[in-house]
């Protein structure tokens, strides 16, 4: 494999070491690899992310680094979002929204939002790319179960010029093994990863 080639960025956003979001992320990666691609896999639970202090420095001067930049890994993960041809997030739903550590990282992206709105070419110049999402809820009902999470993800990813494409949302996926036991869901995730890389490869071929 060409280690210098761009890789998809895949994020498992569950707090659990064993869980359905991990399985979803792995299935997506297997699809990417089946299409001849590569992916960087990130488990948010293993990464130190400090909460935004709302100091406002990034809004006053987007050229200044975040005051927490050297104290955790938030900025390094943002670099993955900037450089990847496409991204994927697998996340559980807690109380109709994203889990706390995922939301903490999202809040830290205020610096990227500020840079974009100040016209920073490093952000404004990013190409428009797809973001794929799989949200898993233990609840079996709820008309607006995924609405809050999808809205937050939409505006978080927009700062990086990423746009949600074909989100997968599943209810009643609760206990460990529930996702792997559902053949239709596993096939959908594998095919999503495979199709994502195939589309990326086709776009590259066109130049």
């Amino acid at each position: 494999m060409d280690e210098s080639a761009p890789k998809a960025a895949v994020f498992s956003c569950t707090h659990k070491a064993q869980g359905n979001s991990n399985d979803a992320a792995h299935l997506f990666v297997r699809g990417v690899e089946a299409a001849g691609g590569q992916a960087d896999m990130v488990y948010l639970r293993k990464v130190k992310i400090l909460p935004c202090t709302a100091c406002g420095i990034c809004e006053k001067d987007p050229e200044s680094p975040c005051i927490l930049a050297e104290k955790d890994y938030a900025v390094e993960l943002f670099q993955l979002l900037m450089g990847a041809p496409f991204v994927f997030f697998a996340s559980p739903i807690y109380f109709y929204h994203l889990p706390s550590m995922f939301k903490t990282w999202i809040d830290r992206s205020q610096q990227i939002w500020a840079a974009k709105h100040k016209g920073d070419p490093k952000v404004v110049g990013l190409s428009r790319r797809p973001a794929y999402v799989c949200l898993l809820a233990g609840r079996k009902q709820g008309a607006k179960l995924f609405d809050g999470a999808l809205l937050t993800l939409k505006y978080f990813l927009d700062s990086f010029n990423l746009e949600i494409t074909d989100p997968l949302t599943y209810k009643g996926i609760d206990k460990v093994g529930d996702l792997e036991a559902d053949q239709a869901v596993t096939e959908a995730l594998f095919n999503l990863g495979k199709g994502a890389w195939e589309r990326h490869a086709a776009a590259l071929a066109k130049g």
Side-chain angles (χ1 to χ4, degrees):
M1 288 188 177
D2 182 1
E3 291 298 325
S4 65
K7 299 179 182 180
V10 176
F11 297 83
S12 173
C13 305
T14 178
H15 292 198
K16 297 171 67 174
Q18 301 292 330
N20 292 298
S21 295
N22 293 325
D23 294 338
H26 295 158
L27 283 161
F28 186 88
V29 170
R30 283 169 52 191
V32 168
E33 293 174 345
Q38 302 177 69
D40 283 317
M41 183 77 186
V42 177
Y43 300 92
L44 280 188
R45 69 177 183 276
K46 294 183 177 181
V47 182
K48 180 182 179 181
I49 303 291
L50 297 171
C52 177
T53 64
C55 68
I57 287 177
C58 61
E59 292 189 40
K60 294 176 183 176
D61 182 5
E63 292 297 322
S64 298
C66 174
I67 62 171
L68 301 175
E70 297 184 1
K71 297 180 180 181
D72 67 3
Y73 294 93
V75 174
E76 289 185 31
L77 297 187
F78 292 150
Q79 291 299 322
L80 285 180
L81 297 187
M82 291 181 175
F86 59 88
V87 302
F88 174 78
F89 294 91
S91 176
I93 294 295
Y94 294 164
F95 287 93
Y96 281 69
H97 221 291
L98 302 169
S100 58
M101 70 184 169
F102 188 12
K103 186 57 169 61
T104 295
W105 180 47
I106 289 173
D107 290 347
R108 288 287 300 283
S109 70
Q110 178 73 10
Q111 60 183 294
I112 308 300
W113 179 91
K116 184 174 183 178
H117 285 264
K118 292 285 187 179
D120 185 339
K122 295 190 297 294
V123 180
V124 175
L126 292 171
S127 60
R128 198 70 174 168
R129 294 154 296 137
Y132 302 93
V133 174
C134 177
L135 300 178
L136 305 168
R139 288 177 57 89
K140 296 182 179 180
Q141 58 186 3
K144 297 184 178 181
L145 193 52
F146 305 103
D147 288 9
L150 286 171
L151 191 62
T152 294
L153 285 169
K154 174 183 177 179
Y155 290 105
F156 162 57
L157 293 168
D158 182 68
S159 292
F160 300 87
N161 253 358
L162 290 160
E163 184 174 6
I164 296 176
T165 302
D166 302 325
L168 299 178
T169 57
Y170 298 108
K171 299 175 182 178
I173 304 291
D174 189 18
K175 297 179 181 178
V176 173
D178 278 356
L179 186 143
E180 288 189 324
D182 192 319
Q183 184 176 354
V185 174
T186 59
E187 288 180 355
L189 284 158
F190 177 87
N191 289 333
L192 187 66
K194 185 171 182 290
W197 191 269
E198 288 173 344
R199 286 187 289 275
H200 166 61
L204 286 179
K206 288 182 179 179

